[in-house]
Amino acid sequence: MDIQVEKNNGVLTIKPQGRLDTKTAPILADKLYEILGDTKELIFDFTDLEYTSSAGLRVLLAMQQEMEERDGSMKVININESIRQVFDMVGFFAIIDVE
């Protein structure tokens, strides 16, 4: 998995590519905790993400909780149809801002 990172004025945009699964989710989580710093807004751009497993969903939930504790915000943008279906099945649209 390749992860593109852009940080600008407290806004951190993460753009993972490929698959977010049991093998790659810990890599993403470690990277996030390493670079989160003073981030007030976290954006996950899933334009190039093909798939996410429950391990990837756990990373999103952990980051949502982290951002709430910081009085910050998090959103997920540009999800494909298969990820949209997973989010719908597990109720993510009720707890995570998805555009």
Side-chain angles (χ1 to χ4, degrees):
M1 166 190 281
D2 186 32
I3 304 167
Q4 294 179 3
V5 175
E6 180 181 323
K7 193 166 188 178
N8 190 11
N9 294 327
V11 178
L12 178 61
T13 302
I14 302 294
K15 190 174 182 183
Q17 298 174 335
R19 298 173 57 88
L20 185 54
D21 54 25
T22 56
K23 182 178 177 184
T24 59
I27 296 166
L28 177 60
D30 289 347
K31 179 83 168 172
L32 284 165
Y33 283 113
E34 178 184 312
I35 63 174
L36 209 52
D38 62 349
T39 298
K40 290 297 182 188
E41 182 178 358
L42 177 59
I43 301 169
F44 286 94
D45 182 346
F46 282 1
T47 299
D48 298 321
L49 190 68
E50 301 164 7
Y51 167 85
T52 186
S53 71
S54 60
L57 298 179
R58 283 191 296 276
V59 171
L60 293 177
L61 285 175
M63 287 299 108
Q64 176 71 25
Q65 183 178 15
E66 179 71 27
M67 295 310 294
E68 286 175 0
E69 290 173 3
R70 296 167 172 250
D71 292 323
S73 65
M74 183 185 104
K75 67 181 170 183
V76 180
I77 61 173
N78 301 321
I79 62 174
N80 66 31
E81 187 58 33
S82 65
I83 294 173
R84 182 172 298 280
Q85 289 174 357
V86 171
F87 278 24
D88 191 37
M89 268 192 325
V90 299
F92 261 37
F93 290 109
I95 54 175
I96 292 180
D97 183 13
V98 180
E99 292 181 9

